[in-house]
Amino acid sequence: PYALLMSFALDLGGKKGTATISSLFDTVGYIFGSTSGILTGWISIQMGWTGVFGMLSIVCLCSTLACILFWVLEKGFISKCRG
């Protein structure tokens, strides 16, 4: 997963913005990684494990949609560059 994120950073940032984009990706990952245990525990107390797995399903769906959107945008950009 980390290599996939860094490939997104290379594509999004270009030559000058890759470091900025990758640091933003890392920051968001560290923030959500540090709060995931607390959030998971809170959701399991409030809604049970069904709520936890529902939350994980929503996160997986959002990341899949983001990858598909990025792929479609990248494919359209590449086809425009080729002619």
Side-chain angles (χ1 to χ4, degrees):
Y2 190 77
L4 181 63
L5 281 177
M6 291 308 110
S7 68
F8 285 160
L10 286 170
D11 287 340
L12 290 174
K15 290 182 180 180
K16 295 184 179 183
T18 299
T20 303
I21 298 294
S22 64
S23 67
L24 289 173
F25 284 165
D26 282 343
T27 302
V28 170
Y30 291 136
I31 289 171
F32 283 107
S34 64
T35 60
S36 66
I38 296 168
L39 184 63
T40 302
W42 182 78
I43 290 175
S44 70
I45 290 170
Q46 298 297 319
M47 297 186 224
W49 286 104
T50 305
V52 172
F53 289 115
M55 176 194 66
L56 291 174
S57 299
I58 290 170
V59 168
C60 288
L61 179 66
C62 290
S63 63
T64 301
L65 291 175
C67 286
I68 290 171
L69 177 66
F70 182 75
W71 178 70
V72 167
L73 292 175
E74 186 70 19
K75 185 177 176 184
F77 178 74
I78 290 172
S79 67
K80 287 179 185 176
C81 289
R82 289 185 180 165

